[in-house]
Amino acid sequence: MNIVIFGPPGAGKGTQSKFIVKKFNLYQLSTGDLLRNEIKNKTQLGSEISSIINSGELVSDKIVSDLIEKFISNDKYKNKIIFDGYPRNLLQAKNLDNLLINHKQKINIVLKLSVSLESVKKRILERKIQENRADDNEEVAIKRYKTYEKSSEPVINYYKQSNLVKVVNGEAKISEISTEISGLIDAIKGWL
Ligand code: AMP
């Protein structure tokens, strides 16, 4: 089973992905984590993308596509991926479909965590204290939320056409969200 976890920055995608990984024995593919690793390891790519990430914009589709293709083409992860932070625009969604088809896979469910801008701001400032992410400050948080509304939200309509979307209230308690997600995944597992 392949899952897309979707929602604005600070919606709890990473937290819930880690829960799903443990419970359902899957692998989290966080494009944000992969990109931050490049910056941390001071690679050539890292130096190209750090200012883009720190401004709250999206890095190029080609860069992220290359990163996720490495995952999708690896048999170890076959039908066991949670896409966290990808796709983030319509082109990426179509690219993901093509890559998966080429590797004889597909997406089985899209979990959308819905959270308001007010909560996003609050959570991002809390995360700044815990994780010290360079792009976690109020100004960039607002920018990232706007980028999400403009580029990423249309992706949901794309997946709605294939009936893959389940909306989860991202304002609930972490454990309540996990329980709801578990139920949704269990329900589709029966069909696979
Ligand atoms: P995240 O950790 O998912 O919030 O991602 C942090 C930042 O990494 C984003 O604000 C973007 O600059 C970049 N990023 C992550 N995933 C993507 C993607 N699929 N496409 C373009 N940029 C991305």
Side-chain angles (χ1 to χ4, degrees), residues 45-188:
L45 176 60
S47 69
E48 285 167 27
I49 60 176
S50 72
S51 62
I52 303 173
I53 291 192
N54 293 340
S55 71
E57 307 272 353
L58 297 180
V59 308
S60 83
D61 292 337
K62 165 87 174 100
I63 289 175
V64 269
S65 177
D66 289 350
L67 289 175
I68 65 155
E69 187 166 14
K70 278 190 203 140
F71 243 80
I72 294 172
S73 59
N74 186 333
D75 261 356
K76 177 177 168 191
Y77 306 122
K78 190 161 188 179
N79 278 318
K80 288 188 174 173
I81 306 176
I82 303 173
F83 294 94
D84 164 11
Y86 194 96
R88 262 191 159 85
N89 61 35
L90 219 44
L91 266 178
Q92 291 185 5
K94 291 178 182 168
N95 181 53
L96 179 57
D97 276 351
N98 287 331
L99 286 175
L100 287 171
I101 288 170
N102 289 344
H103 294 280
K104 305 202 163 33
Q105 299 176 62
K106 62 177 182 174
I107 292 159
N108 302 100
I109 187 168
V110 176
L111 298 166
K112 184 192 173 195
L113 295 174
S114 55
V115 188
S116 70
L117 175 58
E118 278 320 298
S119 305
V120 163
K121 279 198 240 168
K122 208 169 131 236
R123 288 185 189 178
I124 283 186
L125 295 180
E126 282 165 9
R127 187 167 66 186
K128 169 106 187 134
I129 297 163
Q130 285 159 10
E131 296 176 22
N132 200 23
R133 268 177 60 166
D135 59 348
D136 279 346
N137 61 60
E138 185 163 353
E139 192 191 331
V140 181
I142 294 169
K143 172 74 192 147
R144 282 160 63 208
Y145 193 88
K146 301 272 177 231
T147 306
Y148 168 79
E149 280 185 320
K150 185 167 151 266
S151 307
S152 308
E153 280 214 314
V155 172
I156 276 299
N157 294 330
Y158 175 77
Y159 285 129
K160 276 186 183 159
Q161 289 166 18
S162 332
N163 260 332
L164 288 170
V165 181
K166 299 286 175 199
V167 179
V168 176
N169 175 12
E171 307 270 355
K173 279 199 217 142
I174 292 178
S175 60
E176 288 168 357
I177 300 172
S178 299
T179 305
E180 187 175 350
I181 287 178
S182 253
L184 291 168
I185 296 175
D186 277 335
I188 63 153

